């Protein structure tokens, strides 16, 4: 699966997202077309990889007010979990970001993914904080988290010697500092 994603990223950077087909990807990865579809629904999913998974235990702890009892801190823990299982290196992450930034189709797909994830996280926040938790506040908190994620990707591009998670934590620290 990782080889397919590597090849899809390389094809997108070299030829653009519309410049290659699933058949081209299968040939580049030395697999059958069917193998590609066993793992992925389409081209965008191959480039971006599978949607992040978060353990049921962490989600239950989050909804229950944990793990720290501070909403933003706990969202950061959830974000770490969502990105921890990803097998891509920091260089791969920067290449995915470059592919996304340079392609409107991928940008749209990422935006759709973000909106779906934000909706799910928003539901979890309301379960945790109560149904009367302001929707605008929830959206702002989630956008701050996404800004930290994007900033961490930029920092990883500029400084690949540090891990994505180190850059993410530094971005969160900068947000905290700016808001205090």
């Amino acid at each position: 699966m990782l080889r397919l994603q590597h090849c899809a990223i390389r094809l997108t950077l070299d030829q653009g997202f519309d410049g290659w087909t699933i058949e081209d990807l299968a040939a580049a990865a030395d697999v059958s077309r069917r193998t590609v579809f066993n793992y992925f629904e389409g081209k965008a999913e191959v480039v971006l990889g599978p949607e992040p998974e978060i353990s049921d235990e962490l989600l239950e702890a989050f909804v229950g007010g944990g793990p720290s009892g501070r909403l933003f801190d706990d969202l950061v823990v959830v974000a770490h979990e969502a990105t921890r299982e990803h097998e891509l290196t920091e260089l791969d992450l920067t290449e995915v970001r470059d592919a996304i930034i340079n392609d409107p189709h991928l940008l749209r797909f990422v935006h759709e993914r973000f909106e779906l994830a934000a909706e799910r996280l928003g539901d979890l926040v309301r379960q945790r904080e109560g149904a009367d938790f302001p929707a605008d506040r929830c959206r702002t908190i989630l956008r701050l988290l996404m800004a930290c994620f994007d900033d961490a990707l930029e920092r990883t591009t500029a400084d690949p010697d540090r891990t994505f998670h180190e850059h993410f934590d530094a971005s969160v620290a900068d947000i905290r500092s700016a808001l205090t």
Side-chain angles (χ1 to χ4, degrees), residues 105-177:
H105 296 347
L106 286 174
L107 271 173
R108 188 183 76 245
F109 191 80
V110 167
H111 179 75
E112 290 169 2
R113 261 195 184 183
F114 170 72
E115 289 299 320
L116 183 59
E119 183 179 318
R120 290 178 186 155
L121 276 175
D123 289 344
L124 294 171
V125 168
R126 282 185 289 288
Q127 288 177 39
R128 173 190 169 128
E129 300 295 319
D132 60 338
F133 190 77
D136 290 344
R137 186 175 193 189
C138 183
R139 191 171 32 259
T140 299
I141 291 168
L142 294 175
R143 285 183 176 158
L144 273 174
L145 191 66
M146 188 61 191
C148 291
F149 184 84
D150 189 52
D151 185 58
L153 285 173
E154 275 188 38
R155 290 176 188 219
T156 302
T157 299
D159 180 10
D161 292 333
R162 294 180 65 198
T163 68
F164 169 80
H165 288 109
E166 289 172 323
H167 288 299
F168 181 77
D169 290 341
S171 183
V172 168
D174 286 347
I175 290 284
R176 288 184 200 283
S177 177

